[in-house]
Amino acid sequence: MTLSARKRPIGLVVGVVLAVAASSGAALAAVDAGKVIASRIDGFKKMGSAFKGMNDGLKSDAPDAKALADQARTVNQVAHQVGKWFPAGSGPESGQKTRAKAEIWSDSAGFATAVKNLEIESAKLETVAKGGDIEALKAQVKATGGACGGCHTKYRAPEQH
C-alpha cells in the first residue's frame, strides 16, 4: 500500500467528523428561543396549576384522594421534563423575554442538581399521593415545594411588570 493510499481513509474520517461537527453546530444555532421559552412556560404553568390544585385540595374538609393523586402524577411527569427545557441559546442572551437566569447555563452542574432534586421529590409526591395518607401528603407537598424553590431562588429572575 502506498503512503497516499493510507492517507485517504484518514482524510475521509476527518472530513466526516468535521461534517458532523458542523451540522451539530448548525442545529444548536437553529434553536428557536421564542418557541422553546413559550413551551417551557406552558410546562411550568401546567405543573403550577396541578401543584396549586393539590394545595387547595389539601385545605378542603374532605380532600379528594383521586384528584390529589392525579395532580401529583401531573407534577411528577412535568418535573421530569424540566431538565430538557433549557437548551443553549434559550436564555437571556436570546433577546427573548425570559425569567431564566444565565446561571442555568453558567452553573449547569448546580442547575442539574436542583432539577434532579425536583425529580426525586415529585416522584415521592406521586407515590405518597397514591397511598392516600393526607398528612403524609401535606408533608411531601411541602418538600416538593422546597425543591421547586431550589430553582426559583437561584435560577429564576423576578417577574417584571
Side-chain angles (χ1 to χ4, degrees):
M1 181 181 303
T2 67
L3 182 59
S4 65
R6 283 186 287 185
K7 286 184 177 178
R8 269 186 250 145
I10 292 171
L12 179 62
V13 168
V14 169
V16 168
V17 168
L18 290 174
V20 169
S23 67
S24 296
L28 287 175
V31 168
D32 184 336
K35 286 184 182 177
V36 169
I37 292 166
S39 178
R40 74 178 170 231
I41 288 170
D42 289 345
F44 282 126
K45 284 182 179 179
K46 181 177 180 180
M47 184 165 52
S49 176
F51 203 76
K52 182 182 182 322
M54 290 189 75
N55 276 309
D56 292 348
L58 288 169
K59 292 174 188 169
S60 166
D61 291 336
D64 181 343
K66 183 183 179 330
L68 291 167
D70 289 344
Q71 292 158 335
R73 183 176 49 254
T74 298
V75 169
N76 187 33
Q77 288 171 344
V78 176
H80 280 80
Q81 298 170 24
V82 172
K84 301 171 189 161
W85 291 346
F86 296 89
S90 68
E93 79 287 350
S94 70
Q96 300 289 319
K97 182 180 178 186
T98 179
R99 293 177 67 190
K101 289 183 174 180
E103 285 84 347
I104 290 171
W105 297 272
S106 66
D107 179 22
S108 58
F111 181 68
T113 298
V115 169
K116 185 65 178 170
N117 189 38
L118 174 63
E119 291 172 351
I120 290 167
E121 294 303 329
S122 68
K124 290 178 189 176
L125 181 72
E126 183 174 3
T127 300
V128 171
K130 286 179 185 176
D133 181 338
I134 297 301
E135 291 309 311
L137 184 56
K138 286 179 181 179
Q140 189 55 42
V141 163
K142 186 174 181 175
T144 304
C148 289
C151 281
H152 290 195
T153 303
K154 185 170 182 181
Y155 302 105
R156 185 179 78 163
E159 192 166 356
Q160 296 176 355
H161 298 283

